[in-house]
Amino acid sequence: MTVHETIEERLVHVPLGERAYDILIGPGLIGRAGGEISSRLKGKRAAIVTDEHVAPLYLEALMDGLQTDGIEAVSLTLPAGEKTKSFDHLVTVCDTVLAARIERNDAVIALGGGVIGDLAGFAAGIVRRGVRFVQIPTSLLAQVDSSVGGKTGINSRHGKNLLGVFHQPDLVLADTAVLDTLSPREFRAGYAEVVKYGLIDKPEFFEWLEKNWNEVLSGGPARIQAIATSCQAKSDVVVADEKENGVRALLNLGHTFGHALEAATEYNSERLVHGEGVAIGMVLAHEFSARLNLASPDDAARVRAHLEAVGLPTTMKDIPGKLPDVEMLMTAIAQDKKVKGGNLTFILTHGIGKSFVANDVPASEVRSFLGEKHPG
């Protein structure tokens, strides 16, 4: 499980037996998608799911490339944003896939960020009890996190990603050239997930990011290296624990707090996007660990300093507008998928790169901690 490299392109292989797949990382992959897909999949039809922000930029190039390699494709363009991960849009995607007569060896292609990938992957997992699935992630967050590992789903009024299936992709094409069209805010939000891999169990990677984050943000070899390292880290965890029965839960570092904050803002992307919630959540996880005497406060300060240097929010005070009270946040945390038997489970840390799964975290401690951090 090594990252193979050329001058401008990396390949990470995810060895899951019959469900093994490649992650290709580098510029220009959308134009080559037809050849990469046709060399791996038997089907000659595809249904592309994208959104109104991505479609004008890349849909035509993808359709042309597929046609050149003999793949007949239809497309569906949906509204952009977290609220698209809904029952109504899931039904629309499934109807489109069925109307296109996509068979099991044909492919659903997700062209977009994490929202599109999660939604299209869920549809691919349930139509005909599972059809082929290709991820073409167009955001940094999707390239390093949501496109890899087979988690798919939609949101419920009870919380984020509570409805879904595990459905591994058959190929991931992470075209790094598309990242140049992201807004600085979107790119920084994705960068939070890159940092996460260092904080979980790769302290040397976190140290490398502290030194090289400017180049990661501006582009060049460091950007491709950061993405490849992140994908390799996620691949290793997914192979060890595909269905999140153990160590895969570590990938949720910062997410329990972050998801609660997203719910508190009603998934309003003007106030908070997922990666920003994760950034705040990772700082809170380290501060909470320090409060419980599990880690040094210096580690939390170091994490906060790095994320602030990059331009990410690190406290609840950084979220525009008024937040609901602590009890609402506790209700959102209680709906988290990592809750077992009603007991709260958090990803905490003994220091940078020393994260662990903490079961049976006392709700009273969490409530008191949030009370101190809540802007009021």
Side-chain angles (χ1 to χ4, degrees):
M1 293 187 292
T2 58
V3 177
H4 307 284
E5 44 183 293
T6 62
I7 295 174
E8 281 195 318
E9 189 172 299
R10 304 290 181 91
L11 183 150
V12 176
H13 183 67
V14 185
L16 285 171
E18 294 181 352
R19 297 183 315 288
Y21 57 94
D22 291 334
I23 306 165
L24 298 182
I25 304 158
L29 289 171
I30 287 178
R32 288 171 34 204
E36 299 294 346
I37 293 170
S38 62
S39 68
R40 289 170 171 83
L41 305 185
K42 297 177 182 178
K44 292 299 179 184
R45 287 182 178 173
I48 304 167
V49 183
T50 187
D51 70 34
E52 59 193 10
H53 289 169
V54 174
L57 298 172
Y58 306 115
L59 180 57
E60 184 177 355
L62 176 58
M63 296 278 281
D64 289 346
L66 293 173
Q67 185 177 22
T68 298
D69 285 280
I71 299 175
E72 179 185 342
V74 300
S75 66
L76 171 65
T77 301
L78 297 172
E82 189 71 29
K83 293 182 179 179
T84 296
K85 285 171 59 170
S86 68
F87 263 122
D88 288 345
H89 287 111
L90 177 65
V91 170
T92 300
V93 175
C94 290
D95 283 346
T96 299
V97 173
L98 290 168
R101 298 186 179 181
I102 298 298
E103 300 176 356
R104 285 186 173 179
N105 284 324
D106 297 325
V108 171
I109 301 174
L111 176 66
V115 168
I116 291 298
D118 286 356
L119 176 64
F122 191 5
I126 60 178
V127 168
R128 304 192 195 283
R129 297 187 177 90
V131 300
R132 300 292 190 178
F133 179 44
V134 175
Q135 287 265 26
I136 306 181
T138 58
S139 69
L140 177 61
L141 190 151
Q143 289 188 2
V144 301
D145 186 58
S146 59
S147 67
V148 180
K151 277 190 179 182
T152 73
I154 59 174
N155 300 332
S156 156
R157 65 184 179 86
H158 295 289
K160 184 164 179 168
N161 296 331
L162 294 178
L163 303 163
V165 296
F166 285 94
H167 187 61
Q168 294 291 345
D170 294 271
L171 175 66
V172 179
L173 299 175
D175 190 331
T176 55
V178 308
L179 301 179
D180 292 333
T181 66
L182 296 180
S183 69
R185 184 188 181 196
E186 286 179 289
F187 193 92
R188 287 194 297 266
Y191 181 83
E193 295 281 2
V194 174
V195 172
K196 178 187 73 175
Y197 294 108
L199 296 178
I200 290 172
D201 63 356
K202 291 179 170 49
E204 71 288 349
F205 182 46
F206 180 75
E207 184 176 349
W208 182 87
L209 289 171
E210 287 179 306
K211 297 175 181 176
N212 294 281
W213 66 268
N214 263 311
E215 189 182 341
V216 175
L217 265 62
S218 62
R223 176 179 291 183
I224 294 177
Q225 176 64 32
I227 295 170
T229 301
S230 299
C231 288
Q232 185 67 64
K234 181 152 190 183
S235 170
D236 291 344
V237 174
V238 169
V239 170
D241 179 23
E242 183 179 359
K243 298 293 180 70
E244 199 174 79
N245 294 312
V247 295
R248 183 166 178 171
L250 293 172
L251 295 172
N252 291 301
L253 175 66
H255 285 60
T256 300
F257 287 122
H259 283 169
L261 294 173
E262 286 184 88
T265 59
E266 298 180 334
Y267 306 107
N268 182 344
S269 60
E270 292 184 3
R271 297 181 64 192
L272 188 73
V273 295
H274 175 69
E276 293 170 339
V278 170
I280 297 171
M282 290 190 299
V283 173
L284 290 174
H286 281 77
E287 290 178 340
F288 189 45
S289 297
R291 176 190 171 96
L292 297 176
N293 295 317
L294 297 169
S296 167
D298 293 343
D299 292 315
R302 184 177 165 194
V303 174
R304 185 172 59 250
H306 179 57
L307 295 173
E308 285 178 350
V310 174
L312 281 160
T314 58
T315 73
M316 285 191 270
K317 293 178 182 178
D318 295 332
I319 302 172
K322 185 174 176 60
L323 288 176
D325 62 22
V326 169
E327 287 309 313
M328 183 276 163
L329 295 176
M330 291 297 297
T331 298
I333 288 171
Q335 284 286 3
D336 191 272
K337 298 180 296 302
K338 294 176 289 300
V339 172
K340 293 182 179 179
N343 296 318
L344 300 182
T345 298
F346 281 82
I347 310 305
L348 299 180
T349 182
H350 290 302
I352 289 172
K354 299 178 181 178
S355 296
F356 67 97
V357 181
N359 297 308
D360 301 330
V361 175
S364 59
E365 289 281 2
V366 180
R367 184 178 287 106
S368 175
F369 173 72
L370 288 175
E372 293 177 5
K373 299 298 179 180
H374 197 285

